[in-house]
Amino acid sequence: MTAVLEIAGVSKRFGAFQALTDVSFEVQEGETLGLIGPNGAGKTTLFNLISGFLSPDTGSLRFMGEPINGLPPARRAARGLVRSFQKPMVFPALTARENIAMAARQRAGDGLRWLGARRALEAAEARANRLLAESELGRRGGERMADLSHGEQRMVDVLMSLALEPRLLLLDEPTAGLARAEAERLLEMVRRHDARTAVVLIAHDIEIVFGACDRIAVLDLGRVLCCGAPEMVRAHAAVRTAYLGALADP
Amino acid sequence: MLLAHRPAAAGLVAVAIALPALWAGEFHLRFLAEILIIGTAVMSLDLLVGFGGLVSLGHAAPFGLAAYAAAIASQSLGGNLLLVLPLGAATGMAVAAVMGAVILRTSHLFLLILTLLLGKIAWEIVFHWREVTGGADGLRGLPPLSLGPWELSDARSLYLLAAGLALAATTAARSFAAAPLGRALIGIREQPLRMTALGYSIPRIRFSAMLAAGAIAGAAGALYPFVNLYVGPQSVHWTLSATMIVMLVIGGVGSLWGAFLGSAAYLTVQTYVSSYTDRWQLFVGLVFVLTVLLLPAGIAGGLRSLVGGWAHGRNGNDRGA
Ligand SMILES: Nc1ncnc2c1ncn2[C@@H]1O[C@H](COP(=O)(O)OP(=O)(O)O)[C@@H](O)[C@H]1O
Ligand SMILES: [Mg+2]
């Protein structure tokens, strides 16, 4: 197995507030790692550090074996380190297809084309249509994002990330506000899309996380409480008191 | 969609251009040429403002410096159009490159102030470099424009030239807006964070937009001195930059062709009302305020909903607009 992401001793403080302390873990190719923890635990902050939107105070980040500290976020994305945002972040006035095509063009190296526009536009649209078909949203491609339901917007948001053909995909609460069945369909689609992609999934629905993930890391007050297989995390005493509570009992 | 795909619109534009060329007199032809030239510069500003959300208060700099470059070159090399026009475009592009490099990472208020200051610097250079630019007096006595054996100095030729430039520039701007680059420009206006997360480089997109807008403004600037038979420091002054924004808002931000309507409305008020009263700026102010209040999408937006409403009334189709 190859480690796609290696985090070692990462800390981050905002003013006097210590948001993350000495966080270390690895993510393997093809693995789905769940990242859980109460609100304010530092999950989104950790995504911001991995994707380069914030830089850590200490510690090192390696992606595909290479150090990425200091690499700007757009360059990380171009290398296949892709993230989504906790709030759906789409282009509301554009169609679902165009939202996905925007990502597909960048991936194809056509993002800033002027000459040869037609061929680039057609290729990206075809790619967007294939992704829409995979998600069973095929017939909604021509709708403006603003006219889609919350669940459909979440789906398109994830399709935009998939259009970048990520090696590592960081999903920040992609299932928030979705019904259980809808959430499971979304995660299944991500897993089905490319088996080699490593996924880090933040979600609050414990059943979904335990069902969809190979390993789970629990974050509390900016520290990793434990990290391991679902059964092990479920049994972990500190996790039970800090977070899972009664939920963990069978 | 490009004009070539809409024969009816293309025909309308051709007739609209041809009619004045047949019947208008010397004064009106020159006046129309000025509307088209300034309108072209305003349209290039629309690429930045309407598509990229980049409000520049220094767009007179690429326009005016290109006008000077063309005028100065013509004094020693003659008014060959094939020299003057590319030189203007290149000057506009170079000026925009400098401005673009400065504003790459700024936005909103700082963008406004930095472009204003850069425009002010351009004006200072023009105003104080008397030996080359004529200082406050500007430059007169320019040779006529020419294309091969033809001299383009009469009002009709200049008008047709300006119309050709406006058409070519609008076609270029539309293809820019429709291409991946133009769509990325809209993307960074709408959702810059997501664009970064998709791997787009915001500075590169902005810089490219600045270059495209600068080249078009520069090409327009190159013709300006030959229509007026004069170029002066007002063509670089920040008040022209501000006027361009007013024209753009009156015409309709984001429509491209609205720029020509805004330029026509503004210059018409300026030309005709100023012969009755010195307070013509008051009228412009009134027109501006009324437009913003009554037609938030400018004249272009108003026309569009008018046509849409008409189509709706005729065949009950509500997708006209
Ligand atoms: N840019 C920031 N500046 C200051 N404080 C921040 C910033 N980002 C996050 N925080 C704080 O860090 C803590 C962790 O936030 P976050 O990572 O969003 O938590 P989670 O995603 O686990 O709910 C919160 O207390 C939050 O207020
Ligand atoms: Mg969060």
Side-chain angles (χ1 to χ4, degrees), chain A residues 160-177:
Chain A
M160 289 168 75
S161 296
L162 290 181
L164 297 175
E165 294 170 24
R167 305 299 301 262
L168 172 66
L169 178 55
L170 308 173
L171 295 172
D172 197 347
E173 303 198 25
T175 58

Side-chain angles (χ1 to χ4, degrees), chain B residues 55-125:
Chain B
V55 183
S56 165
L57 251 182
H59 208 55
F63 175 80
L65 290 182
Y68 270 98
I72 291 164
S74 76
Q75 285 180 325
S76 49
L77 301 170
N80 184 353
L81 185 66
L82 297 180
L83 165 80
V84 162
L85 209 55
L87 178 69
T91 306
M93 219 160 148
V95 174
V98 173
M99 297 180 81
V102 175
I103 61 147
L104 271 193
R105 282 161 215 285
T106 62
S107 52
H108 308 299
L109 188 58
F110 283 103
L111 183 86
L112 217 63
I113 291 171
L114 279 175
T115 50
L116 179 67
L117 289 176
L118 289 165
K120 182 94 171 99
I121 291 172
W123 181 85
E124 293 283 347
I125 293 171

Side-chain angles (χ1 to χ4, degrees), chain A residues 14 17 19 37-46 48 54 86 172-173:
Chain A
F14 298 114
F17 177 71
N39 272 325
K43 305 182 294 295
T44 297
T45 302
L46 187 57
N48 281 330
L54 292 173
Q86 189 166 340
D172 197 347
E173 303 198 25

